[in-house]
Amino acid sequence: AAVGAHGAGLMHVLFLADEAVLLEIHPSYRLDRHFRLAARMADKVYLPLRSTRPVQCKGTSDAIPVDEGDFRAALDAALRVARSFDDGVSECGLVCDGRVLALDEGNKGHLPPGATPFSTRFPCGRRR
């Protein structure tokens, strides 16, 4: 996932991996769709996050205040979407239960100590 405040640097979306997600943080006063369109042209997933609080100007730039909970939720969504492109565990976002991570063989070297996968056996008797 590529994450950034609205600005020219987001044009890097054109060079990101196929499974990349662009998370753009919009100040409350901007309505442009430049980077949404660039993400579409590059065949990437675009997720906007708009600040609803006033911007505090500092010199020639601005500081975009974003609610931490909103940011974490948007970043979690971006990670889940990006992970859905491979054979990995797309249920995992920012935080993931070790038992879910253990379901994916590719995570063997990155598991918390003692993590064992959930059983994937149907729990309600014989399946027909």
Side-chain angles (χ1 to χ4, degrees):
V3 180
H6 176 84
L10 295 182
M11 283 306 290
H12 286 101
V13 70
L14 299 174
F15 307 105
L16 296 175
D18 291 343
E19 66 275 7
V21 175
L22 176 63
L23 174 57
E24 178 182 9
I25 302 169
H26 271 278
S28 57
Y29 64 88
R30 297 298 300 233
L31 294 176
D32 355 338
R33 306 289 189 249
H34 305 103
F35 304 110
R36 177 180 66 181
L37 296 174
R40 282 185 187 165
M41 288 189 314
D43 204 23
K44 305 295 182 271
V45 175
Y46 172 82
L47 294 174
L49 175 60
R50 180 166 302 279
S51 174
T52 56
R53 294 191 254 162
V55 166
Q56 301 299 315
C57 295
K58 308 218 182 204
T60 59
S61 190
D62 52 3
I64 305 171
V66 177
D67 177 76
E68 182 181 346
D70 291 347
F71 179 74
R72 289 181 67 82
L75 188 56
D76 185 80
L79 289 172
R80 290 171 189 264
V81 169
R83 287 179 174 151
S84 72
F85 281 80
D86 64 17
D87 294 333
V89 182
S90 61
E91 302 94 69
C92 291
L94 286 174
V95 178
C96 195
D97 187 309
R99 296 170 296 173
V100 175
L101 285 173
L103 290 170
D104 182 356
E105 291 286 323
N107 289 330
K108 277 187 177 178
H110 308 285
L111 296 175
T116 56
F118 282 111
S119 171
T120 55
R121 186 172 177 185
F122 187 69
C124 301
R126 287 185 66 191
R127 198 168 192 178
R128 298 172 196 239

